[in-house]
Amino acid sequence: MNYPTPSSTVAVTNLNHAFGQGTLRKPVLTDIDLAIYPGEIVILTGPSGSGKTTLLSLIGGLRSVQDGSLKIFGQELKGCSKKHLTQIRNQIGYIFQHHNLLKCLSAYGNVRMSLKLHPEISKYQYRDRAVAILDAVGLGDRIDYYPEKLSGGQKQRVAIARALVAQPKLVLADEPTSSLDSKTGRDVVDIIQLLAKEEGCSVLLVTHDARILDIADRIVHMEDGRLQSQ
Ligand SMILES: Nc1ncnc2c1ncn2[C@@H]1O[C@H](COP(=O)(O)OP(=O)(O)OP(=O)(O)O)[C@@H](O)[C@H]1O
């Protein structure tokens, strides 16, 4: 029996990207094809400088698509308006190597920032939703703490809570464990995996950390700007 293929969260086709102009032009991504489906965790590995972060930032709508097609939630990013791009970005959860928390806001305040991007979420729900997600990442007793009073692992967990609180259908994570010790790094990816599976969201995670590869449904490897499936 044939089942219909679910539509992909991310569909990249024939994507090329270069930095610089004229004689300084340097191709960084060549002929990239990649599809990520709902609920799937894809890990992107590859040597330093191979183009992983560039691909992640294109998928996240943080750079303009130059050549090829890149669809997120079925919507083409190439040539789309700034307003539309902002709407798409608001539906993506980002987790970076450095947590980028606002120092002047508590854990709750940082998580609430994400909710404020969603007009459909009533402000009366902010506290309950933020508390629930901070609880889920093990910070139920740190809700009103400021970043300076949190450890590196706790700050990264706040960043995960901030990325996931609005239940995005896509999470992009760039080296989320690189500043953490191995136990804390493990805890952090276990939380990403658990919440991703519970919410059915797609995750694209860039890492050099071989200890966390087991959370992947699929591993793709990048070499000199080209993708190879493993
Ligand atoms: N803004 C930029 N301007 C010019 N060149 C850039 C820019 N960003 C990245 N590059 C170059 O593009 C190439 C790919 O960089 P990218 O950061 O995507 O690689 P990466 O695989 O993520 O590396 P790492 O694992 O070290 O983070 C590198 O040669 C880098 O120097």
Side-chain angles (χ1 to χ4, degrees):
M1 188 172 173
N2 286 330
Y3 292 98
T5 314
S7 47
S8 51
T9 312
V10 175
V12 180
T13 323
N14 257 324
L15 185 78
N16 294 287
H17 197 84
F19 287 113
Q21 303 268 319
T23 51
L24 293 177
R25 186 174 182 280
K26 182 184 167 200
V28 172
L29 297 176
T30 309
D31 273 343
I32 303 289
D33 289 319
L34 177 68
I36 306 176
Y37 293 94
E40 210 184 10
I41 299 181
V42 175
I43 286 191
L44 176 58
T45 61
S48 184
S50 56
K52 305 179 299 295
T53 297
T54 306
L55 178 59
L56 203 78
S57 56
L58 281 162
I59 291 173
L62 304 171
R63 283 186 188 288
S64 304
V65 177
Q66 296 170 345
D67 183 42
S69 167
L70 202 171
K71 289 185 181 163
I72 306 293
F73 315 124
Q75 299 169 65
E76 180 61 67
L77 295 198
K78 183 155 188 267
C80 90
S81 68
K82 270 196 172 169
K83 187 176 167 208
H84 192 191
L85 201 58
T86 305
Q87 286 168 352
I88 293 175
R89 279 203 292 251
N90 288 348
Q91 298 172 54
I92 299 174
Y94 301 89
I95 304 168
F96 296 108
Q97 180 170 354
H98 301 292
H99 48 78
N100 299 325
L101 298 183
L102 290 173
K103 286 186 193 146
C104 57
L105 295 177
S106 64
Y108 166 65
N110 272 281
V111 172
R112 188 184 54 185
M113 291 284 290
S114 236
L115 293 169
K116 283 184 165 178
L117 297 172
H118 292 264
E120 76 282 7
I121 300 175
S122 153
K123 65 179 178 187
Y124 298 108
Q125 291 179 25
Y126 287 177
R127 184 83 190 173
D128 284 352
R129 286 183 74 148
V131 168
I133 194 88
L134 284 164
D135 230 3
V137 299
L139 292 177
D141 57 350
R142 296 286 187 277
I143 286 161
D144 296 313
Y145 279 50
Y146 284 79
E148 63 177 9
K149 299 279 183 210
L150 298 171
S151 69
Q154 289 170 335
K155 283 188 264 215
Q156 194 59 308
R157 288 192 220 186
V158 176
I160 292 170
R162 180 183 57 185
L164 299 178
V165 69
Q167 297 170 311
K169 288 290 157 222
L170 175 62
V171 170
L172 300 174
D174 198 354
E175 302 273 6
T177 61
S178 68
S179 59
L180 305 176
D181 64 59
S182 60
K183 160 85 173 72
T184 315
R186 183 77 236 175
D187 290 348
V188 158
V189 290
D190 285 347
I191 291 164
I192 295 175
Q193 184 184 34
L194 181 75
L195 297 183
K197 295 294 170 192
E198 274 179 0
E199 301 293 340
C201 79
S202 308
V203 178
L204 178 60
L205 190 153
V206 169
T207 190
H208 286 116
D209 187 348
R211 293 166 304 193
I212 64 170
L213 298 181
D214 60 291
I215 69 157
D217 296 307
R218 191 153 50 98
I219 297 172
V220 288
H221 186 73
M222 185 168 275
E223 199 81 43
D224 292 332
R226 291 178 185 270
L227 276 190
Q228 308 155 350
S229 284
Q230 281 184 342

